[in-house]
Amino acid sequence: MYLKNSKIIVVKIGSSLLVDKNKKIRSKWLSSFAKDIKKLKSNNKKIIIVSSGAIALGCKKMNYNKVNLKLDKSQAIASIGQIELMNLFSKTFSKYKLNISQILLTLDDTEERRRSINAKRTFENLFRLDYVPVVNENDTTATSEIKYGDNDRLASRVAQITNADTLILLSDVDGLFTKNPKKFKNAKLIKRISNLDKDIKNINIKGTTEFGSGGMDTKIEAAKICNLAGCNMIIANGLYLNPINQIEKKNNCTWFISTIPKLDARKKWIISSVSPKGELIIDDGAKKALLNGKSLLAAGIKKVSGIFKKGDHVKILDFKNKEFARGLSSFSSDEINKILGCHSNEIRKILGYISKSEVVHKDDMVKI
Ligand code: GLU
């Protein structure tokens, strides 16, 4: 099964799974979900949760109705509700000895390469510290032009930047149906989609579910992002207790299988769009290390040319000026000029601030 082979899994849960129609918190469900996460973690999976619920819980606390809220008010409500949301997670997850952390993202954090690399590193460090990051959109400052708008797309961007293997969208329906299952008895659940455009051509996406701020159309948008990122995606019914266990046992959901190998997707992303802004010339020792799959450290850099910022795309040349790799630089050209040839533990002293130790991380590098 695909889920068994997934190392990094992003799970998105919507507000309706946390709070029911009578504004009651679904505590039993959240506990069962925490149990699922515990089990995945004991199988060595790295888990990221993308959770909505800030506005729903803010409304619950303030006794407001979500439907009547204007944008600026809803931002204040999200600020109030986000703490409630994290408290709820913290209280429930600590019962299962699961550590959680909070990450609030704005659109630019995943769309801008430099910021997305920073975000990716934070996720990786949280995995190392054995924490489960709980992500939401930073609703308090996002305006309509700079907004993911729904957590389906936010979750797919998170899956993309973290190089996840599977994104699970827990929804209020079993998956994508041939017709709206709430209206048509003969609607059939589609179990597997491997060609997005072809397989969903005849389905009216707009009519298939009306729940949450993300309907089926935003889920399809998310599937497109995942497909390009080499990440599989599942739409499954999250209303059941132990929803992930249900997927593993019954597989009563829709799988969107990415047709692009993950590595190729990442490579494409690294070397796509912008042309290289500069060059790093490295010594033979560093070249050998890179060919063995290691990251590029400052010690191995002989020369830097061009002017570039952190996160920019650079060429990596060997001592004979032959290009053999490309990657995203974790330092600006100015910084590299100061630290080239130096040992990684000297960087902090030279620059005067803490930074990463790799100049180009192996995950951000493509050998050509
Ligand atoms: N970020 C919003 C919240 O926490 C929800 C967005 C969505 O449901 O898609 O309330």
Side-chain angles (χ1 to χ4, degrees), residues 35-53:
K35 248 191 226 162
D36 280 359
I37 300 295
K38 182 84 181 172
K39 191 171 153 224
L40 288 174
K41 277 186 49 57
S42 66
N43 287 326
N44 277 330
K45 316 272 180 224
K46 293 169 178 156
I47 309 294
I48 298 169
I49 297 169
V50 175
S51 179
S52 311

Side-chain angles (χ1 to χ4, degrees), residues 11-68:
V11 189
K12 180 253 167 177
I13 58 181
S15 315
S16 58
L17 301 180
L18 292 171
V19 189
D20 70 15
K21 286 192 187 90
N22 303 319
K23 291 195 181 169
K24 245 189 105 204
I25 290 171
R26 300 182 71 229
S27 323
K28 202 167 152 203
W29 179 85
L30 191 59
S31 287
S32 80
F33 176 68
K35 248 191 226 162
D36 280 359
I37 300 295
K38 182 84 181 172
K39 191 171 153 224
L40 288 174
K41 277 186 49 57
S42 66
N43 287 326
N44 277 330
K45 316 272 180 224
K46 293 169 178 156
I47 309 294
I48 298 169
I49 297 169
V50 175
S51 179
S52 311
I55 296 177
L57 288 170
C59 282
K60 176 178 161 60
K61 178 157 189 177
M62 304 300 287
N63 216 1
Y64 280 142
N65 191 343
K66 189 177 169 184
V67 193
N68 308 327

Side-chain angles (χ1 to χ4, degrees), residues 121-326:
R121 296 275 181 271
T122 304
F123 281 110
E124 286 165 352
N125 281 317
L126 286 164
F127 292 150
R128 258 175 237 131
L129 294 168
D130 197 28
Y131 271 66
V132 177
V134 180
V135 183
N136 197 359
E137 177 157 15
N138 192 354
D139 290 314
T140 56
T141 52
T143 60
S144 52
E145 315 84 70
I146 52 149
K147 209 167 161 39
Y148 297 99
D150 60 83
N151 279 8
D152 295 331
R153 271 174 294 192
L154 166 64
S156 64
R157 288 297 188 201
V158 169
Q160 180 187 35
I161 64 164
T162 55
N163 231 2
D165 304 283
T166 306
L167 164 64
I168 305 175
L169 297 180
L170 291 179
S171 163
D172 63 329
V173 284
D174 288 344
L176 181 63
F177 283 79
T178 48
K179 295 176 189 170
N180 186 342
K182 287 170 187 160
K183 286 190 191 143
F184 300 96
K185 276 223 166 77
N186 63 349
K188 276 206 188 79
L189 177 70
I190 306 170
K191 289 269 179 126
R192 183 191 163 103
I193 291 195
S194 40
N195 184 329
L196 252 179
D197 293 328
K198 213 174 105 219
D199 294 350
I200 64 165
K201 212 171 68 197
N202 299 320
I203 301 171
N204 175 13
I205 305 298
K206 287 243 177 302
T208 44
T209 176
E210 311 90 32
F211 217 97
S213 51
M216 197 49 78
D217 45 354
T218 61
K219 291 182 177 49
I220 299 297
E221 283 305 313
K224 285 182 188 162
I225 294 166
C226 284
N227 181 40
L228 290 175
C231 172
N232 292 331
M233 190 184 102
I234 302 173
I235 301 176
N237 199 330
L239 288 169
Y240 305 119
L241 293 179
N242 300 102
I244 298 170
N245 201 26
Q246 288 279 339
I247 297 172
E248 286 183 302
K249 268 205 192 133
K250 301 200 173 134
N251 201 28
N252 197 36
C253 56
T254 306
W255 276 88
F256 294 78
I257 306 298
S258 172
T259 42
I260 299 170
K262 214 169 84 165
L263 197 64
D264 288 358
R266 174 105 189 129
K267 283 182 181 175
K268 228 190 250 161
W269 183 79
I270 290 173
I271 48 181
S272 67
S273 62
V274 279
S275 52
K277 293 268 184 345
E279 294 172 348
L280 302 174
I281 298 163
I282 67 171
D283 64 21
D284 277 346
K287 181 177 179 181
K288 221 177 259 164
L290 261 53
L291 292 175
N292 281 328
K294 300 265 166 22
S295 299
L296 176 62
L297 305 178
I301 302 175
K302 289 278 172 203
K303 209 179 133 192
V304 50
S305 64
I307 295 170
F308 51 88
K309 297 192 298 260
K310 238 183 231 179
D312 275 344
H313 175 191
V314 292
K315 288 183 185 178
I316 302 174
L317 315 183
D318 66 14
F319 211 43
K320 290 180 191 124
N321 265 340
K322 191 169 166 285
E323 177 185 353
F324 77 100
R326 290 201 183 178

